Each structure stands twice: as structure tokens, then as C-alpha cells.
């Protein structure tokens, strides 16, 4: 009885798929061909009730001949989502096939803002004939120019109306851009202290542990390779900004900008000591606490110990 029920269920399943117990029932353009008309195709079957391998291979071959999916046949939202994963080079190539889709302004606007997060032109009424694709090319050209000569690069951005001649606007552009050469940027900021001041104020160090905040600071504003006036200026500006972002913590710990300055210098020296392969005798935690508290007596021993642990476990603050 169990086998009989199984055969009934199996026959119903085969009928839904175009099969019958007597033969294969094909569907072509909505027509059903009787099984006795296709009995000569039995050699295409694996066995009675089996799958038509010939039909499957033929269907697969026809799909392969169709080639890649035509994005114009998909809903626009899905097509734009697919193209949004492409970079500028691939999007230009895609425009050779899907010109209307790949040249869409929203796609190029997304590319511009994902690479250059802030430009003065974003907040202005676009001029006649404005195109985000053209803007992308100008931003790319200007970045390459900046990496060769920072002053010429900034002047290029201003000449194209991309940036306003304002230290704050230049600082926002630098803060939101990751394509600029850090060595050239360091030279530019050393010469443009007004831009450096605005760039420092863009950082928010609220509720951050001091070594982590210092790492974030030096990721945007790279430290010089040697000690000197510029490094002292950077640490001074960072100390005042860190205290301004954490007034409650400074009162709780009894720290001033001068004390934070001492701690930052101590962290940099400790980073060099612990990470340099040339230093044989590494500074111990006890030595670091003693030396630091000698320079800043109001700092608690536990707090200085946590600073040492952070450098020891995570690494250099200005790498």
C-alpha cells in the first residue's frame, strides 16, 4: 500500500512537471503535445519517469548563448545598485554598453563624494553644463597635481571652482580626502598653519583614551620623521583640542593642556623605545611611570600604567 501511495504522489508530481506514466508531455508555446506523438523521443530519457537531459542541455545552451545579463532589462533601481559597486574606470567601460545607465549623474555623484567627501562646489548651485562625471575627472586631476606640488594642486581646485579660497574649506577638503600624498600634505600643512589650525578643530576626541586619540590625530596629520618645532606645534595643538573635547575628564584627572603635552611626548618616546629594533633594553612599566610622574606630578600612577599597557599591546601612536 505504501508503494501505491508513493506512485500516486510521484505521478502527480511528474504530471505537474510535464511527465506522465506513458511518456513525456512537452510544453511548447503554451501547447501540450500528447505523449503518443513524442514516443520516438524516448531515447532522450534516462529511464521511465526520468528527467529529459536533452531538454535541460538545450535550455542551458540557449542561456549561455544569450551572454551576460542586459542591465537595461532589469528594474532601474537594481541596475543602478549593480553599477554603484564599480569604480570610475569600470563605470566608463560600462558606459560603452549601457550609456544611459552608466552616465547617470547619481552614480558619478556617489563616486565623487565617496572619494572626496567635501568640496565647496557641493554646496553651491551647479553652473550651466555641470556634470559630476566631469567633476570626478577634475578632482582626480587636481589630486594628482597636489601630490606633485601641493600649492599648484590647491590653486587648480580653486581655478575650477571646486574649492573656495578659505582655510576652513581647504581644511575640510583635506580632512575628508584620502587620496592625497601624506608627505606632500605634511609639507603643505607646515607652511599653511592657518589651514592646520582649522584641520585640528575638525577632530572630535570626546571620550577617547589618550593614546587612541593621538593615533587618530596622526592618521590625518602625519608626524614628521624628526623632532623639531613642527612636531612640538602638532602636540601642542592636539593637547589643547583633546582638553577642549574632554573638559569633565580633565577636571576629574586634574590634567591641564601642559600635562597632556608631557604625556603625549612620553607616549611618543615610549612608542619608539618599545617598537624600535635598535633599542636593546626596553623601558619597563615601572621606569615609564617613574619618569612620567617626575615630569607631571599630579598624574595618578594607575593612569600612567594604563598608558604604558596601551602602547605595549597596540603599538606606536604615530606610526
Amino acid at each position: 500500500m505504501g508503494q501505491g501511495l508513493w506512485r500516486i504522489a510521484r505521478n502527480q508530481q511528474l504530471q505537474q512537471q510535464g511527465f506522465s506514466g506513458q511518456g513525456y508531455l512537452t510544453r511548447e508555446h503554451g501547447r501540450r503535445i500528447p505523449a503518443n506523438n513524442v514516443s520516438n523521443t524516448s531515447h532522450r530519457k534516462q529511464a521511465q519517469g526520468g528527467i529529459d537531459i536533452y531538454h535541460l542541455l538545450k535550455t542551458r545552451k540557449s542561456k549561455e548563448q544569450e551572454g551576460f545579463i542586459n542591465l537595461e532589462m532589469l528594474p532601474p533601481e537594481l541596475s543602478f545598485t549593480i553599477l554603484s559597486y564599480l569604480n570610475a574606470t569600470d563605470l566608463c567601460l560600462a558606459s560603452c554598453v549601457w550609456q544611459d545607465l552608466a552616465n547617470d549623474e547619481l552614480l558619478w555623484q556617489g563616486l565623487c563624494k565617496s572619494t572626496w567627501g567635501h568640496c565647496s562646489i557641493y554646496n553651491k548651485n551647479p553652473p550651466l553644463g555641470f556634470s559630476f562625471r566631469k567633476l570626478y575627472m577634475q578632482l582626480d586631476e587636481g589630486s594628482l597635481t597636489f601630490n606633485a606640488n601641493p600649492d599648484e594642486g590647491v590653486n587648480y581646485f580653486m581655478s575650477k571652482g571646486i574649492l573656495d579660497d578659505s582655510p576652513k574649506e581647504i581644511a575640510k577638503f583635506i580632512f575628508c580626502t584620502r587620496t592625497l600624498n601624506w608627505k606632500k600634505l605634511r609639507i603643505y600643512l607646515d607652511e599653511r598653519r592657518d589651514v592646520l589650525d582649522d584641520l585640528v578643530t575638525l577632530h572630535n576626541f570626546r571620550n577617547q583614551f589618550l593614546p587612541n586619540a593621538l593615533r587618530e590625530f596622526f592618521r590625518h596629520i602625519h608626524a614628521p620623521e624628526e623632532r623639531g618645532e613642527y612636531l612640538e606645534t602638532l602636540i601642542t595643538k592636539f593637547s589643547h583640542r583633546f582638553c577642549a573635547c574632554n573638559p569633565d575628564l580633565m577636571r576629574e584627572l586634574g590634567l591641564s593642556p601642559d600635562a597632556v603635552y608631557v604625556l603625549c611626548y612620553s607616549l611618543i618616546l615610549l612608542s619608539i623605545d618599545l617598537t624600535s629594533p635598535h633599542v636593546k633594553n626596553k623601558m619597563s612599566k615601572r621606569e615609564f611611570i617613574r619618569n612620567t610622574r617626575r615630569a607631571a606630578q599630579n598624574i595618578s600612577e594607575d593612569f600612567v600604567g594604563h598608558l604604558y599597557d596601551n602602547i605595549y599591546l597596540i603599538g606606536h601612536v604615530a606610526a
Side-chain angles (χ1 to χ4, degrees):
M1 182 175 178
Q3 293 181 354
L5 292 176
W6 180 85
R7 289 195 183 96
I8 293 174
R10 179 61 175 166
N11 289 337
Q12 290 177 350
Q13 181 182 2
L14 294 177
Q15 288 176 1
Q16 293 175 358
Q17 296 177 353
F19 294 93
S20 72
Q22 298 176 351
Y24 175 64
L25 301 178
T26 64
R27 291 184 177 91
E28 183 179 2
H29 304 295
R31 295 189 300 110
R32 186 183 295 270
I33 302 176
N36 55 7
N37 291 342
V38 292
S39 59
N40 59 347
T41 62
S42 59
H43 63 281
R44 298 175 184 173
K45 301 178 184 177
Q46 286 181 326
Q48 184 178 359
I51 300 175
D52 190 341
I53 301 299
Y54 175 81
H55 179 72
L56 292 178
L57 292 176
K58 185 177 180 180
T59 303
R60 180 179 178 182
K61 184 176 181 180
S62 63
K63 289 183 178 181
E64 291 176 351
Q65 290 175 348
E66 292 176 1
F68 51 78
I69 299 175
N70 186 359
L71 295 182
E72 294 178 346
M73 304 300 294
L74 299 176
E77 297 82 0
L78 182 56
S79 300
F80 289 136
T81 301
I82 294 172
L83 292 175
S84 66
Y85 288 96
L86 302 181
N87 56 31
T89 302
D90 293 336
L91 196 57
C92 288
L93 294 175
S95 66
C96 298
V97 181
W98 304 291
Q99 184 173 3
D100 293 337
L101 289 174
N103 288 330
D104 187 83
E105 282 291 278
L106 288 177
L107 290 175
W108 287 98
Q109 180 181 359
L111 278 176
C112 289
K113 293 188 175 182
S114 63
T115 308
W116 300 274
H118 175 83
C119 292
S120 303
I121 197 173
Y122 293 159
N123 302 319
K124 298 179 180 179
N125 293 326
L128 185 64
F130 175 81
S131 167
F132 273 102
R133 178 172 179 172
K134 180 181 178 181
L135 176 62
Y136 183 95
M137 304 305 173
Q138 292 175 340
L139 285 168
D140 188 57
E141 178 68 23
S143 298
L144 293 175
T145 305
F146 184 96
N147 293 338
N149 188 311
D151 291 326
E152 291 184 5
V154 173
N155 291 334
Y156 175 87
F157 289 131
M158 293 178 182
S159 66
K160 300 297 182 181
I162 298 174
L163 279 181
D164 292 341
D165 189 3
S166 164
K168 182 175 292 186
E169 286 297 300
I170 299 173
K172 288 181 179 179
F173 175 79
I174 293 173
F175 185 79
C176 299
T177 302
R178 298 293 179 267
T179 60
L180 304 179
N181 182 278
W182 64 270
K183 291 184 178 180
K184 298 294 184 179
L185 181 59
R186 186 175 61 192
I187 297 173
Y188 180 78
L189 293 176
D190 191 12
E191 297 174 351
R192 291 291 304 269
R193 298 299 177 91
D194 54 344
V195 176
L196 177 62
D197 290 338
D198 287 315
L199 184 58
V200 172
T201 59
L202 293 175
H203 290 81
N204 184 9
F205 302 122
R206 184 172 178 79
N207 296 328
Q208 291 192 28
F209 194 36
L210 181 60
N212 297 332
L214 199 56
R215 289 188 185 93
E216 179 183 336
F217 179 75
F218 282 130
R219 273 196 295 267
H220 288 91
I221 307 173
H222 292 269
E225 298 177 354
E226 299 178 355
R227 303 179 195 177
E229 186 269 337
Y230 181 55
L231 178 60
E232 294 177 359
T233 299
L234 291 181
I235 298 177
T236 301
K237 294 181 181 299
F238 168 82
S239 301
H240 284 83
R241 181 59 182 168
F242 184 83
C243 292
C245 293
N246 299 279
D248 296 335
L249 179 63
M250 296 301 102
R251 284 194 298 267
E252 179 183 346
L253 297 176
L255 297 178
S256 63
D258 292 337
V260 174
Y261 177 92
V262 172
L263 291 177
C264 291
Y265 237 115
S266 298
L267 290 173
I268 293 175
L269 295 177
L270 178 64
S271 299
I272 297 173
D273 186 275
L274 294 181
T275 59
S276 175
H278 303 292
V279 179
K280 302 298 181 181
N281 298 321
K282 305 297 183 181
M283 183 182 300
S284 66
K285 185 174 183 179
R286 185 186 299 267
E287 292 172 335
F288 177 74
I289 294 175
R290 184 178 65 250
N291 296 337
T292 303
R293 295 195 67 195
R294 187 179 300 168
Q297 299 177 358
N298 294 332
I299 303 174
S300 68
E301 182 174 334
D302 291 338
F303 181 74
V304 179
H306 292 320
L307 295 178
Y308 182 93
D309 294 337
N310 183 278
I311 304 300
Y312 183 83
L313 294 174
I314 299 179
H316 209 303
V317 293

